[in-house]
Amino acid sequence: MENGNNIYKVNLINKEELKITGKGESDVWRKSEVLSQFISPWDSKEPSKIEFRALYDGANFFFCFTVFDTEIHIDTTDDTADSINNSDRVELFFRPNHSLNPYYCLEIDTQARIMDFIAYPNKNFDFNWNWPKGDISVKSSKNDSSFTVEGAISLDSLNKLNLIKGNKIEAGVFRAKYNSKINGNFEPVWITWIDPETETPNFHTASSFGVFHLMD
């Protein structure tokens, strides 16, 4: 599974060096690798540019999505999973191993609302499960050219879920983009770091995951 195209190097920073603001503006992010090789295998149109960054320290795994898109669709019906699921969002999936039994999903919209759930093979989702609230923090912002979703996840929670093995985390990095159609409905375009090589859009498959390598 591991090759140069599906390994992202997560650089180490000093503890408490990075503070999450939702703007991704800290100079500390300059220490990160920039992942921008996102594709939409099921759509002929090239997606808007996405930059993903990650860092870690002795306590937290930090991530930052910058999406160069200003036409954002948000379902504001309520704050339930259904509304988040119908909104433009970024996504991180984590798995202990290739079996996907289980794996963990974080889907975050541009208002920093989190749809978090545990999943099992064949898209068996349990929305009653949530990431421990004290172990995740997410903030977001928008400007004239892009939106940013920035977050921190405790290493303790990742370890308790058996997600860090030999300084590596198996992860998927995705985006859902909703476009308006002539009939007024919004339809999603699915954007991914790793091409899962499925006939129809599917992030919930083993082939959609890459590796975050926590560097010493």
Side-chain angles (χ1 to χ4, degrees):
M1 172 182 161
E2 291 190 30
N3 60 55
N5 292 327
N6 59 18
I7 298 177
Y8 174 80
K9 295 179 180 179
V10 182
N11 292 328
L12 178 65
I13 59 174
N14 295 325
K15 195 170 182 180
E16 299 184 358
E17 186 177 1
L18 179 59
K19 302 297 183 185
I20 295 301
T21 66
K23 297 181 179 180
E25 60 188 357
S26 172
D27 287 342
V28 182
W29 283 118
R30 296 180 184 179
K31 298 181 180 181
S32 68
E33 303 272 339
V34 179
L35 177 63
S36 58
Q37 58 193 57
F38 290 90
I39 57 173
S40 181
W42 312 280
D43 189 76
S44 59
K45 185 178 178 181
E46 184 175 350
S48 300
K49 183 180 179 181
I50 302 168
E51 292 182 347
F52 174 82
R53 294 172 170 83
L55 294 165
Y56 81 108
D57 63 10
N60 292 290
F61 169 85
F62 301 97
F63 64 89
C64 182
F65 288 87
T66 303
V67 182
F68 293 86
D69 182 7
T70 57
E71 296 182 3
I72 306 305
H73 173 62
I74 293 290
D75 182 342
T76 57
T77 303
D78 50 40
D79 285 328
T80 65
D82 284 342
S83 289
I84 301 171
N85 191 50
N86 291 325
S87 300
D88 281 17
R89 61 190 185 276
V90 296
E91 305 180 3
L92 283 175
F93 291 3
F94 300 102
R95 70 181 189 192
N97 56 55
H98 192 268
S99 73
L100 300 184
N101 192 23
Y103 58 107
Y104 303 90
C105 306
L106 296 171
E107 306 194 7
I108 309 163
D109 72 8
T110 61
Q111 295 182 345
R113 299 183 301 177
I114 303 174
M115 179 170 65
D116 48 353
F117 55 97
I118 188 172
Y120 302 89
N122 302 313
K123 297 185 179 181
N124 179 8
F125 307 148
D126 180 0
F127 290 100
N128 291 319
W129 183 92
N130 300 109
W131 207 281
K133 290 193 182 302
D135 289 308
I136 185 168
S137 173
V138 174
K139 297 181 179 180
S140 65
S141 65
K142 291 186 286 187
N143 60 33
D144 291 340
S145 62
S146 64
F147 70 84
T148 298
V149 174
E150 191 178 31
I153 302 171
S154 77
L155 296 182
D156 183 59
S157 66
L158 290 167
N159 277 310
K160 285 180 178 177
L161 295 173
N162 199 28
L163 295 172
I164 303 177
K165 298 178 180 178
N167 279 350
K168 293 179 180 178
I169 302 170
E170 296 184 23
V173 187
F174 314 108
R175 181 192 175 205
K177 163 64 179 174
Y178 279 78
N179 291 318
S180 177
K181 300 300 182 182
I182 295 175
N183 60 10
N185 293 328
F186 285 83
E187 296 184 7
V189 173
W190 304 101
I191 301 160
T192 177
W193 165 32
I194 305 295
D195 184 352
E197 299 182 354
T198 57
E199 184 175 346
T200 57
N202 187 5
F203 298 158
H204 299 272
T205 182
S207 56
S208 70
F209 285 71
V211 173
F212 293 164
H213 188 175
L214 305 181
M215 307 302 292
D216 294 331

